[in-house]
């Protein structure tokens, strides 16, 4: 098959390939170990590496390389499983390509032509092979092998599988890589050696593509501190994308619930498919590039040419269609793209059936012509149906105008030509005034709130002012107006390289709000949600939550030096926007830095526009920045460190620990440099951010460090480096800013200006784009995904260390034992979340809670883990014992047990004294553990993260925990008849299967009989007049105990239920005759039995218990 051309640096690395045919431009090679001869010892080695269980898993044994005589670089362009297949490709090249290559003069032209031709062939093959991509029969066979080899629960969904080599040290194992919803699995069986690997996605710290001399290209996975390498994949990039998607999916679902809830396409873990993941990845990239709402999905892609009127030529690119948008992006390096909301389309026409072209007419008297669209008929119908329009002859003038415009390629003044030819379209809009109404219908959508940007209120521009700064501002406005006339204005404007150039020079004050809305995509959010902000303001007015309390605290800290926020107008607008957003998104609510960002947005945008800009920043452009763990900012800091290593090697040599830059740059990312730069300079940074996203902030950060390189290299400590950067930021000015000194932010600590040269922000931004503009957004996103795994796992590790530090003060378990126990506890929590979205543990998981509350277990998960770890291995009624233990441990009765509660219980059972262990068992038979109904657990868990937090209730609970005194044996209530009978049966069940079982049973029977006789004597002494009546129930009880000693109970559920029913049927008269025991009586009696004492004081091999639990944990889930 034809391959996407890839560079091969080592033509005959390690002599793995033999040349079969060659000519001036192509080489056909065979892999050693295949075909005639076998290749001797090397062939045997290569053949062994490539041997697999199925022919489809082999590395392709034949390939064709392209090269030119004057180049040492080779390009792989085709591969084949059989010689017949590769010879067909070779013959095609000889007949169709070789003659054509002779006309080229340059080797580069020859290579470009060959690569383009091969890509075209791949595109043609892809259209027919896509349908046959998934072979149901083969997938079914793979699924059966997957279930047989790994014994995972039946709910686990296999997504896809690949043949590859897994490297164990320096030895590769050829086998199969299985990617499922929750696990990465590998299996190999060769010459009697079985290799089995199961890694859950939530355990992965790093996932990346790597290459070295031995492994040309491989996938590196880091988990549990171990490195795993997978190579020799036929479709390595495809495999990596699927793995990346699954790991990201797991991270969002298990660690970052807020982000996951914004992904409805992946809501059900049982419905994840390879095709669904690929579609999701493409849709995500599509939304990110065009800044579209999260609801949009990429539906269709069409290759076509778009007529660009300002350049008078057709640019090659792709039409991308979603539910509500038609987008185009060029592929010829012109960096031209355009976004057309379907609501703006007024008609779609097909000028000529033979030209495969269509014209899309949009409001604003504009039209876009797409040509060479392969399936133009279907595309036109799709656009019409989504816009709710039909083909009509009344719109024919637009096509005539457009064709006329296309032919006018000699006209130098394109903007005049457009205005001259647009007259034919004006008639349409005059006859259809509703189009114009729809175009401006959003003007009065929020009368209840401020309708002016604060800058226009507090600093209106003086038209008569002719000072140099104002003149330069007017020149900027004129440049943008010329740009609008050529490239369009509003939602369907062309974005080109010239647009970025104008952004870098600085946006005029009057246009800043409009352009921010356009570049961020917030204009589309606002247009599709008319009146939404006003409703939010009304609904959130007067609400009192933790978020509103924090907002009120920070209102007067937001740009306090600016006049707009020294008045009630600005403060009220800021309060409304922040409160409305907290009401819209309670998972984020309000976080520090949001007030600073929103203040700047309100200066240049109307209040409703500022709200939608805040939505765009928090939910699209800076994902996961504004939550309590600021994961997004930490991820981008890690990306920033990678870029420093790549672009500033001198700095890296001097400062090997780059964590310093992470701590310093945190405010840069969180506030987009607003907190460190004067406001008049910071807004220029925000301009670039809204156009280029986080890439602009990363570029500027590199430029700042580069500018101060010499000073940073010569500094001796972190404090000196911080001082250098602070002085630099104080020296940054905006010489073109038209704002008066009263509005401009005073530089902090910039009294000695002569000691430091001033730096103009425009020059700094221009330098950042010149030096680091080659950083691609795709690379930044890839680095984000790679570093997100490491950042989240680091946060999780920090949480674990904090939990262990707290718990270790209250238990006798060692730190290493607590570490392993925490891993088991956390894994059990995740096992409850892998195959459902409705487990109690997942529903109540909130990363913003205290460390100890991060991971909790409901009863079902607790029961499994407790049965694996409890010291009585032979207990036959584990479910009931687990239920009573769960009720006892769950002190706040919210239906969940945290790690500290779990550890304290296990510590008592593992390392507690005989008295403490017996006290634990005794309390299992007292309320609330014993008297609750069998069918469940009290659940009073509050809804976390919603509404106002009752701080007084938390403080009271905290105070009670502090004042809580140590419980003594005298504080325990007496155990009644029903509870004592069950207590005795529990002891029998615990002893069942023990080597000393018989002596233990006799000891329990003896103690039980002794206690009952003591109670009988005591009762006779208290009631001497009626000994027979008192003796009757006692004798019955003694008989019951003696019979139970001979015949151990099989289940506690039935006996507990029958005892409860007998107690209820007895009525009030019988309860007066019931007897009871204190814990002291029970303890004293049992201490006289050496067999029982030695049983409970027998040491437990905790390490072995944990190792066994680790192995059996997943199998128990699978066998349920």
């Amino acid at each position: 098959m034809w391959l996407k051309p890839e560079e091969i640096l080592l033509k005959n690395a390690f002599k793995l390939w033999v040349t079969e045919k060659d000519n001036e431009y192509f080489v056909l090679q065979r892999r050693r170990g295949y075909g005639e001869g076998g290749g001797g010892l090397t062939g045997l080695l290569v053949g062994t590496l490539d041997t697999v269980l199925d022919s489809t898993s082999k590395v392709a044994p034949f390939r064709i390389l392209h090269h030119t005589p004057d180049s040492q670089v080779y390009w792989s362009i085709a591969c084949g499983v059989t010689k017949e297949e590769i010879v067909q490709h070779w013959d095609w090249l000889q007949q169709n390509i070789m003659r054509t290559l002779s006309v080229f003069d340059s080797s580069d032209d020859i290579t470009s032509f060959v690569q383009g031709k091969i890509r075209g062939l791949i595109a043609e093959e892809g259209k027919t092979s896509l349908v046959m991509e998934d072979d149901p029969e083969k997938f079914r066979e793979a699924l059966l092998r997957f279930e047989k080899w790994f014994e995972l629960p039946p709910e686990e969904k296999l997504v896809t599988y690949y043949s590859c080599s897994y490297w164990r040290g320096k030895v590769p194992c050829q086998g199969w890589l299985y990617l499922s919803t929750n696990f990465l699995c590998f299996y190999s069986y060769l010459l009697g050696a079985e290799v089995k690997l199961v890694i859950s996605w939530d355990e992965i710290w790093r996932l990346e593509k790597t290459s070295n001399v031995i492994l040309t290209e491989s996938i590196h996975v880091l988990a549990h501190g171990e490195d795993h390498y997978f190579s020799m994949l036929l479709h390595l990039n495809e495999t990596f994308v699927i793995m990346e998607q699954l790991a990201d999916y797991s991270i969002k679902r298990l660690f970052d619930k807020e982000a996951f809830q914004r992904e409805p396409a992946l809501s059900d873990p049982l419905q994840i498919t390879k095709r669904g993941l690929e579609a999701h990845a493409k849709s995500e990239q599509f939304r990110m590039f065009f800044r579209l709402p999260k609801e949009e999905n990429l539906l269709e892609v069409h290759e076509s040419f778009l007529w660009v009127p300002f350049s008078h030529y057709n640019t090659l690119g792709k039409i991308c269609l979603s539910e509500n948008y038609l987008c185009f992006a060029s592929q010829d390096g012109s960096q031209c793209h355009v976004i057309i909301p379907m609501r703006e389309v007024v008609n779609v026409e097909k000028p000529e059936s033979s030209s495969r072209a269509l014209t899309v007419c949009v409001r604003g008297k504009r039209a876009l012509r797409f040509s060479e669209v392969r399936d133009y008929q279907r595309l036109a119908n799709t656009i019409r149906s989504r816009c709710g329009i039909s083909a009509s002859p009344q719109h024919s003038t637009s096509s005539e105008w457009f064709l006329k415009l296309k032919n006018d390629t000699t006209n130098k003044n394109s903007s005049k030509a457009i205005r001259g030819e647009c007259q034919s379209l004006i008639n349409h809009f005059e006859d259809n005034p509703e189009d114009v109404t729809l175009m401006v219908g959003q003007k009065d959508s929020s009368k209840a709130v401020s309708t002016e940007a604060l800058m226009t209120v507090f600093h209106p521009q003086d038209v008569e002012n002719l000072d140099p700064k104002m003149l330069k501002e007017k020149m900027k406005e004129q440049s943008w107006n010329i740009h609008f006339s050529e490239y369009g204005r509003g939602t369907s404007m062309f974005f080109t390289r010239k647009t970025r150039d104008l952004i870098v020079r600085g946006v005029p004050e009057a246009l800043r709000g409009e352009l921010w809305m356009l570049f961020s995509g917030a204009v589309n959010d606002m247009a599709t949600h008319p009146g939404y902000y006003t409703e939010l303001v009304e609904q959130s007015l007067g609400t009192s939550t933790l978020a509103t309390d924090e907002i009120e605290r920070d209102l007067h800290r937001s740009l306090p030096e600016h006049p707009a926020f020294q008045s009630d107008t600005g403060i009220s607008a800021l309060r409304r926007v922040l409160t409305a957003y907290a009401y819209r998104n309670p998972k984020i609510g309000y976080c520090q830095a949001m007030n600073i960002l929103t203040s700047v947005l309100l200066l240049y945008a109307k209040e409703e526009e500022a709200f939608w800009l805040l939505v765009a920043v928090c939910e699209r452009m800076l994902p996961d920045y504004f939550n309590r763990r600021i994961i997004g900012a930490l991820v981008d800091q890690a990306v920033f460190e990678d870029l420093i290593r790549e672009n500033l090697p001198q700095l890296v040599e001097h400062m090997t620990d780059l964590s310093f830059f992470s701590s310093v740059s945190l405010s840069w990312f969180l506030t987009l440099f607003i907190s460190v730069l004067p406001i008049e300079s910071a807004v220029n940074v925000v301009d670039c951010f809204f156009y280029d996203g986080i890439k602009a902030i990363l570029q500027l950060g590199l430029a700042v460090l580069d500018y101060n390189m010499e000073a940073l290299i010569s500094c001796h400590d972190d404090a000196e480096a911080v001082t250098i950067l602070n002085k630099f930021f104080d020296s940054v000015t905006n010489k073109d800013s038209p704002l008066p000194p009263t509005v401009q932010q005073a530089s902090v600590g910039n009294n000695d200006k002569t000691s430091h040269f001033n730096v103009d922000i425009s020059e700094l931004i221009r330098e950042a784009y010149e030096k680091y503009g080659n950083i691609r957004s795709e690379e930044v996103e890839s680095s984000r995904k790679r570093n997100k795994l490491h950042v989240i796992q680091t946060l999780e590790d920090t949480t674990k260390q904090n939990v262990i530090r707290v718990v270790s003060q209250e238990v006798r378990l060692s730190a290493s034992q607590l570490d392993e126990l925490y891993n088991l506890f956390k894994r059990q929590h995740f096992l409850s979340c892998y195959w459902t979205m409705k487990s109690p543990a997942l529903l109540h998981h909130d990363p913003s809670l205290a460390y100890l509350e991060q991971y909790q277990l409901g009863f079902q998960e607790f029961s499994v883990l407790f049965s694996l770890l409890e010291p009585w291995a032979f207990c036959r009624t584990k479910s009931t014992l687990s239920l009573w233990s769960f009720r006892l441990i769950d002190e706040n009765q919210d239906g969940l047990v945290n790690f500290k509660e779990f550890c304290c219980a296990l510590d008592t059972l593992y390392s507690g004294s005989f008295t403490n262990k017996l006290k634990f068992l005794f309390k299992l038979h007292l309320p609330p553990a014993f008297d609750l109904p069998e069918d469940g657990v009290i659940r009073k868990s509050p809804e976390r993260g919603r509404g106002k937090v009752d701080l007084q209730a938390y403080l009271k609970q905290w105070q009670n925990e502090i004042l809580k005194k140590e419980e003594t044996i005298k504080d325990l209530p007496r155990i009644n008849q029903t509870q004592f009978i069950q207590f005795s049966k529990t002891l029998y069940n615990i002893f069942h299967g023990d080597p000393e079982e018989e002596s233990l049973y006799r000891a329990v029977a003896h103690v039980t009989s002794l206690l009952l006789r003591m109670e009988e004597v005591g009762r006779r002494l208290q009631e001497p007049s009626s000994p027979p009546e008192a003796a009757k129930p006692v004798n019955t009880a003694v008989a019951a105990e003696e019979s139970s000693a001979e015949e151990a109970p099989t289940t506690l559920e039935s006996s507990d239920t029958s005892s409860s029913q007998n107690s209820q049927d007895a009525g009030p008269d019988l309860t007066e005759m019931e007897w009871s025991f204190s814990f002291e009586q029970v303890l004293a009696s049992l201490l006289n039995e050496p067999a029982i004492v030695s049983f409970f004081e027998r040491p437990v091999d905790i390490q072995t218990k944990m190792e066994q639990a680790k192995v059996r944990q997943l199998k128990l889930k699978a066998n349920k």
Side-chain angles (χ1 to χ4, degrees), residues 543-549 582-583 586 943-950:
T543 57
S544 178
T545 63
L546 188 61
T548 57
D549 293 344
Y583 189 83
E943 280 293 321
R944 295 169 180 153
R946 296 176 180 271
K948 186 175 177 63
V949 177
D950 191 348

Side-chain angles (χ1 to χ4, degrees), residues 559-735:
L559 300 186
E561 71 285 341
H562 198 285
F565 298 101
Q566 295 169 0
S567 71
D568 186 60
T569 304
I571 294 295
S572 297
L574 181 60
R575 178 187 292 112
R576 286 192 294 268
V577 172
L578 291 174
T579 306
Y581 185 78
Y583 189 83
R584 163 191 165 88
N585 193 343
K587 292 295 180 185
I588 291 179
Y590 168 77
C591 295
Q592 286 189 346
M594 286 174 70
N595 60 320
I596 297 173
L597 177 61
T598 308
S599 302
V600 174
L601 298 179
L602 282 166
L603 290 178
Y604 294 98
K606 298 172 186 177
E607 189 176 318
E608 184 179 6
E609 293 174 342
F611 169 79
W612 287 111
L613 284 168
L614 184 64
V615 170
V617 171
C618 293
E619 297 176 14
R620 284 203 303 273
M621 301 186 72
L622 296 179
D624 302 325
Y625 261 61
F626 300 100
N627 54 36
R628 298 195 181 278
R629 299 203 294 175
I630 58 171
I631 291 171
L634 296 176
V635 169
D636 283 342
Q637 283 181 296
V639 175
F640 187 51
E641 284 185 24
D642 289 346
L643 290 173
I644 292 173
R645 291 188 187 92
E646 185 180 336
N647 294 281
L648 302 173
Q650 286 180 298
L651 197 59
V652 175
E653 288 174 11
H654 179 73
M655 304 181 75
T656 52
D657 184 12
L658 297 182
S659 59
F660 161 74
F661 295 112
S662 294
S663 57
V664 169
S665 64
L666 182 60
S667 61
W668 305 357
F669 291 97
L670 281 173
T671 65
L672 308 179
F673 283 93
I674 295 170
S675 62
V676 294
L677 288 175
I679 185 65
E680 66 276 7
S681 301
V683 290
N684 284 37
V685 179
V686 179
D687 295 339
C688 299
F689 167 75
F690 277 123
Y691 190 82
D692 274 322
I694 195 63
K695 172 175 171 284
I697 306 299
L698 294 167
Q699 289 174 182
L700 185 62
L702 291 172
V704 168
L705 297 181
D706 189 21
Y707 195 94
N708 295 278
M709 176 82 75
E710 292 182 7
L712 289 172
I713 288 176
S714 61
C715 68
H716 302 289
D717 53 37
D718 291 352
E720 190 178 346
V722 170
T723 304
I724 289 168
L725 291 173
N726 285 340
K727 282 185 178 180
F728 172 77
F729 286 127
D730 289 341
S731 71
V732 175
T733 61
N734 188 347
K735 64 183 181 182

